[in-house]
Amino acid sequence: QDNESPDRNVAFYCNDMNQGMQERMRIESGLRHALGHGELTLYYQPKFEIGSGHVVGAEALVRWVHPERGVVPPAEFIPLAEATGLIVQVGEWVLEQACAQAAVWNRAGLPPLRLAVNVSAREFTPSLPGRVADTLKRYRLDPSWLELEITESTLMHDIERVIGIMDRINKLGVALSLDDFGTGYSSLSYLKRFPINTLKIDRSFTTGIPADASDCAIAGTIISIGRQLRHRVIAEGVETLEQLEFLRKSGCDEVQGYLYAKPLPAYEFEQSLRENWLLTA
Ligand code: C2E
Ligand code: MG
Ligand code: MG
Ligand code: MG
């Protein structure tokens, strides 16, 4: 048998492609169904101020609770949602849900927490600030309860347009943070023009602390740039006390990671907040 025959390769290739496309279509229609049938849910991971030890906020992270597959992580459906445009509906749902939850916690008398929502590049359109303002108004929510996390891929597009949208979000009093900082394409010359509040050190750098000298240098440099530009700096993916110590000594403001907590369903998050995290306040 001639495995190298061109026909055979083409046949294999088409077969792979069809399988890939079928998988894509299966996930896409499943996700549409999920949106309409309440199968999406938000988990919350706390953020702590290093200096005071206070819990200062939480990142809202979407999960798909599939009737057969169980809890599906975002890595398995967000990229596809971004590619198909479904991310716009997912994002609308996430913003709505996070604000609803913030309003519930606000009315329950919890101290102000900033709930951070991840926003994909395709959602970062001129209609976003208006939608955010409308959502805050409907829930009678103070804008200090909300934060948007954007990645550098958002900034690759029309930069003037992006800065215009950022300015409008900023004027609402909603905080902006630059997620996964250092992994994308943003140029330092633009960094000074972005009206952002926070730089978020990507987990890929945090992971190497303290053993990897390059990761330590990169994390230290991000902290230094952030401070000099008067931004807050948070490290994600903090798993060890050694990492926390390095970040503290380097002047990092906040931390988030498994050392403190994994992302939790709202009810468990609230329970830990009341039983543990608020007691240090
Ligand atoms: P991200 O925004 O960078 O979120 C941080 C990710 O790191 C989360 O993964 C979180 O669970 C994980 N993480 C936090 N601390 C640790 C740690 O100490 N160790 C380890 N190993 N992991 C840690 P998750 O929830 O799977 O989300 C993955 C990505 O999916 C997010 O990365 C974000 O880019 C995207 N995503 C999640 N929710 C949404 C959403 O509602 N909208 C959009 N557009 N993207 C979302
Ligand atoms: Mg994020
Ligand atoms: Mg991140
Ligand atoms: Mg990340």
Side-chain angles (χ1 to χ4, degrees):
Q1 251 187 341
D2 180 9
N3 282 327
E4 297 303 313
S5 96
D7 283 343
R8 239 189 114 109
N9 283 342
V10 166
F12 271 126
Y13 179 72
C14 288
N15 216 11
D16 281 355
M17 197 170 69
N18 282 337
Q19 270 174 17
M21 270 164 56
Q22 273 170 21
E23 170 77 358
R24 248 178 86 117
M25 283 166 67
R26 198 176 58 79
I27 299 177
E28 188 184 346
S29 72
L31 189 54
R32 271 182 211 287
H33 178 91
L35 269 162
H37 291 79
E39 289 176 15
L40 296 186
T41 191
L42 290 183
Y43 278 28
Y44 297 88
Q45 187 179 33
K47 299 180 179 184
F48 294 86
E49 193 172 63
I50 298 182
S52 64
H54 292 176
V55 57
V56 287
E59 179 170 8
L61 294 154
V62 72
R63 300 288 183 265
W64 177 2
V65 186
H66 193 278
E68 284 124 42
R69 295 168 67 204
V71 178
V72 183
E76 285 176 38
F77 63 91
I78 288 288
L80 185 99
E82 285 174 337
T84 57
L86 258 183
I87 192 65
V88 173
Q89 280 111 291
V90 171
E92 283 173 8
W93 181 86
V94 169
L95 178 69
E96 187 77 22
Q97 184 60 31
C99 288
Q101 186 61 68
V104 166
W105 282 335
N106 185 23
R107 277 197 299 272
L110 292 180
L113 286 175
R114 216 182 255 293
L115 297 192
V117 166
N118 290 283
V119 175
S120 295
R122 280 183 84 150
E123 305 174 64
F124 210 76
T125 63
S127 67
L128 181 66
R131 193 156 55 77
V132 168
D134 169 73
T135 311
L136 290 171
K137 206 168 150 192
R138 274 188 290 109
Y139 287 101
R140 295 202 195 87
L141 197 61
D142 191 277
S144 64
W145 275 83
L146 187 63
E147 174 175 8
L148 303 183
E149 295 192 2
I150 59 176
T151 61
E152 289 168 291
S153 57
T154 309
L155 314 172
M156 280 168 57
H157 303 287
D158 180 350
I159 214 77
E160 297 304 326
R161 185 176 115 128
V162 164
I163 291 175
I165 299 169
M166 287 174 137
D167 278 328
R168 287 171 58 209
I169 291 168
N170 204 255
K171 286 207 181 78
L172 296 174
V174 171
L176 277 168
S177 70
L178 211 44
D179 204 352
D180 302 343
F181 185 71
T183 62
Y185 304 87
S186 80
S187 119
L188 292 176
S189 65
Y190 286 124
L191 188 59
K192 65 176 182 188
R193 295 188 52 204
F194 295 143
I196 55 165
N197 308 78
T198 305
L199 288 184
K200 202 163 183 187
I201 299 173
D202 189 61
R203 180 161 67 87
S204 62
F205 303 126
T206 310
T207 304
I209 300 171
D212 186 308
S214 306
D215 286 341
C216 291
I218 291 168
T221 302
I222 294 174
I223 293 166
S224 159
I225 290 177
R227 289 178 75 91
Q228 291 182 59
L229 294 178
R230 308 239 181 286
H231 301 322
R232 289 180 75 78
V233 181
I234 180 168
E236 68 176 18
V238 177
E239 296 187 353
T240 70
L241 284 169
E242 289 77 14
Q243 289 165 353
L244 174 63
E245 235 8 78
F246 177 90
L247 293 162
R248 183 203 304 280
K249 285 195 191 120
S250 307
C252 190
D253 299 290
E254 296 172 16
V255 280
Q256 169 185 353
Y258 293 178
L259 177 62
Y260 297 88
K262 290 193 171 182
L264 299 168
Y267 175 76
E268 286 176 42
F269 176 86
E270 183 180 340
Q271 213 172 15
S272 291
L273 200 60
R274 291 180 186 281
E275 289 172 10
N276 307 308
W277 304 326
L278 287 179
L279 299 182
T280 61

